[in-house]
Amino acid sequence: MQLPLNPGRGGRNQHLALAAALCLNPEDDIYLLVAGTDGSDGVTADTGALVDNGTISRGKFQNLDPWACLRAADAGTFLEASGDLIHTGPTGTNAMDVIIGLKLSCKTSTEQLTPA
C-alpha cells in the first residue's frame, strides 16, 4: 500500500487492526490485539488497537466509514471513535510488533460427536 499525500492518524498496527475488524462477523467471538512494544505506532503516541466483532458498528455509529479511513491511512481516527485504540505511552523497549488473537467460543466436542 502506498500512503496518500496527506495520511491521517495511525500506523501499521492500527491499519492492520481495522482491516482485520472488517473481516469479523457480528456472531464471531474473536478479539485481536495488534500493538507495538515501544508504545507508539507510526507517528502517533498510540501503540495499536484491540478490536472485536463490534468495532465496525461502534465506529459507524460515530459516522465514520472504515474503508474511507483505511484508504486515507487514518485508522487511528476510526479506532479512537470505536473505543478500541490502545495508548500505553513509551515503554522503553522496541522489540517488535505483537499480534494476539483470541477466539472465546466454539462448538464442544460432544456437540460435534452426538449421533442423530
Side-chain angles (χ1 to χ4, degrees):
M1 173 185 159
Q2 185 174 356
L3 288 175
L5 291 177
N6 296 307
R9 174 181 175 193
R12 65 185 175 272
N13 292 310
Q14 295 166 60
H15 191 93
L16 175 59
L18 181 55
L22 282 163
C23 297
L24 297 176
N25 297 312
E27 66 276 0
D28 289 338
D29 207 1
I30 296 173
Y31 296 83
L32 183 69
L33 169 70
V34 186
T37 58
D38 62 352
S40 67
D41 183 31
V43 295
T44 71
D46 304 305
T47 190
L50 175 62
V51 297
D52 61 24
N53 62 351
T55 296
I56 300 304
S57 61
R58 290 189 300 271
K60 285 182 175 180
F61 185 75
Q62 300 297 323
N63 297 314
L64 291 171
D65 176 353
W67 292 104
C69 287
L70 285 175
R71 284 190 300 275
D74 195 22
T77 297
F78 189 96
L79 293 166
E80 181 177 44
S82 69
D84 297 306
L85 202 56
I86 298 173
H87 181 84
T88 62
T91 63
T93 185
N94 191 8
M96 67 186 89
D97 293 336
V98 175
I99 303 170
I100 301 172
L102 175 65
K103 180 172 176 60
L104 292 180
S105 63
C106 63
K107 288 186 176 182
T108 63
S109 59
T110 57
E111 288 175 322
Q112 294 171 351
L113 299 176
T114 303

